[in-house]
Amino acid sequence: MELKGYPRGWFVIEISKELGANEVKPIKYFGRDMVLFRGESGEPYVLDAYCPHLGAHLGHGGKVVGETIRCPFHAWRFEGNDGKCVEVPYAKRIPQKACVRHHRVQEKNGLIFMWHCPRNSEPDWEIPTIEHYAKDGWTEWDAALLYIKTHPKEVVENLADKAHFGPVHGTWVDWFENEFNGHIGIQRARGVAYPRGGGEDRFELQSTYYGPGYMLTEMRSVLPNILLLAHTPIDENSLHLRFGAMIDLSNVRQGGEKFTAQYRENLLIGFREDIQLWENKVYRERPVLVDGDGDLGGLRRWYAQFYESASAA
Ligand code: FES
Ligand SMILES: [Fe+2]
């Protein structure tokens, strides 16, 4: 099944604390130039980048005024909520056509999400609130931002790839299952990890994709933690992946910071091993599979639902 274009869903476009008050950032996702800014109320907004007047990029030099952004070229102002022009400082009438496309944005769990749908349909699922986020004892995500030259389907296939844990991550998995249900895709696994620093950690995890680009892993290991893996296509051949961990340090008396740094680094090392594979592999439309592989067929059917091309077929 060929997956054309970009998937539909909620995608992380920024970490909340990376976008300050009144800050403006140019962004590019889904092959589209856009501007992300935080209004004076604290609300984040995303608009298409190019001004309808003479085409300036609002993300390069644009300024926040209230809940609007002012174009750096001739100072037209556009509403964050709907992209309509609300002021042209030197004209009496504002033309109807003076607007830029706006995109639906939501801020939750310390993350800024954008809804993307090629047909412009409304969101049909919610981003669940993480109960422990910003609660006493839990750390922030401290997410790393990685640029990866691959198609998101390669990243998603990890969810069903039972057999790569050993060879790639040096992790022993003794129990594994997948479940696919609506927009949700789950992996449950139990096993033993062998961290770089020596020793072994028994772990039990549940990884849940909420739609095609946002995954949380609840991990019961040395310390309870939640991993974030959020990937958003930049264009057809590359993506941004944000990878972080919220760790519960409420029972740690001392050395929490050192542990956290070490833990994150171990995760990132493991993760770079996946990345190296993705950046150099080909995609097999019809792979040769064996009984010990995970449910790759189920995963591919689940993932295809987020693409126009597949649902039209
Ligand atoms: S190009 Fe934006 S106001 Fe002129
Ligand atoms: Fe992996």
Side-chain angles (χ1 to χ4, degrees):
M1 195 164 346
E2 215 194 319
L3 303 176
K4 287 212 192 80
Y6 300 105
R8 188 182 101 258
W10 286 108
F11 293 87
V12 174
I13 52 166
E14 190 51 286
I15 306 292
S16 292
K17 65 178 174 109
E18 303 287 322
L19 187 70
N22 299 332
E23 198 176 349
V24 176
K25 282 187 174 184
I27 58 171
K28 182 179 178 180
Y29 290 115
F30 313 103
R32 214 178 173 92
D33 287 308
M34 296 174 285
V35 56
L36 164 68
F37 67 99
R38 203 184 274 290
E40 280 170 15
S41 68
E43 205 58 40
Y45 302 104
V46 173
L47 300 176
D48 270 2
Y50 299 110
C51 182
H53 183 218
L54 284 166
H57 192 307
L58 299 171
H60 291 278
K63 290 272 179 314
V64 172
V65 180
E67 306 306 298
T68 70
I69 186 161
R70 190 178 65 212
C71 180
F73 209 176
H74 312 91
W76 293 24
R77 284 197 298 119
F78 301 89
E79 194 69 57
N81 256 333
D82 56 11
K84 288 206 177 103
C85 179
V86 290
E87 189 194 9
V88 178
Y90 54 88
K92 289 191 196 73
R93 269 193 45 244
I94 299 172
Q96 280 265 306
K97 279 193 187 145
C99 63
V100 282
R101 192 172 151 193
H102 83 285
H103 300 272
R104 190 179 293 274
V105 173
Q106 233 193 75
E107 192 161 25
K108 222 172 200 181
N109 309 324
L111 306 167
I112 301 174
F113 293 85
M114 173 184 145
W115 175 258
H116 175 260
C117 173
R119 276 189 305 135
N120 278 332
S121 70
E122 296 289 303
D124 45 9
W125 74 81
E126 294 283 321
I127 306 151
T129 302
I130 301 173
E131 191 197 319
H132 299 298
Y133 179 74
K135 291 282 153 59
D136 272 0
W138 286 80
T139 69
E140 266 292 341
W141 294 113
D142 272 326
L145 175 64
L146 307 169
Y147 172 81
I148 307 176
K149 275 203 243 126
T150 190
H151 190 282
K153 65 191 173 191
E154 301 284 7
V155 183
V156 172
E157 290 200 353
N158 230 343
L159 195 75
D161 193 348
K162 180 184 172 192
H164 90 293
F165 279 98
V168 180
H169 303 301
T171 306
W172 178 253
V173 171
D174 36 38
W175 181 79
F176 184 95
E177 72 173 20
N178 282 124
E179 186 188 322
F180 302 105
N181 194 352
H183 69 281
I184 289 180
I186 299 176
Q187 171 195 97
R188 297 187 190 89
R190 273 198 296 268
V192 188
Y194 303 93
R196 305 273 140 154
E200 50 176 69
D201 295 338
R202 276 218 70 85
F203 68 87
E204 191 175 333
L205 64 79
Q206 170 162 329
S207 292
T208 309
Y209 261 103
Y210 300 93
Y214 171 60
M215 186 185 93
L216 297 176
T217 299
E218 284 175 63
M219 181 95 95
R220 247 165 290 156
S221 146
V222 198
L223 292 178
N225 64 87
I226 299 174
L227 303 186
L228 164 73
L229 187 135
H231 48 90
T232 308
I234 296 170
D235 53 31
E236 305 236 24
N237 306 307
S238 66
L239 54 87
H240 264 163
L241 192 147
R242 290 177 176 88
F243 185 68
M246 269 170 59
I247 304 170
D248 180 7
L249 295 177
S250 44
N251 293 317
V252 178
R253 292 251 169 75
Q254 52 181 330
E257 244 161 66
K258 196 168 157 233
F259 175 86
T260 311
Q262 181 76 58
Y263 188 78
R264 286 210 176 88
E265 192 177 305
N266 272 330
L267 287 169
L268 210 53
I269 290 170
F271 202 63
R272 293 207 186 273
E273 297 158 346
D274 282 313
I275 295 171
Q276 197 190 356
L277 275 149
W278 297 329
E279 291 198 315
N280 294 294
K281 72 189 287 302
V282 297
Y283 186 75
R284 290 273 186 231
E285 214 53 73
R286 288 187 183 75
V288 181
L289 295 172
V290 296
D291 53 16
D293 283 315
D295 184 8
L296 197 66
L299 178 115
R300 287 186 176 186
R301 280 189 298 280
W302 172 80
Y303 187 60
Q305 70 174 307
F306 302 109
Y307 285 80
E308 279 296 289
S309 51
S311 49

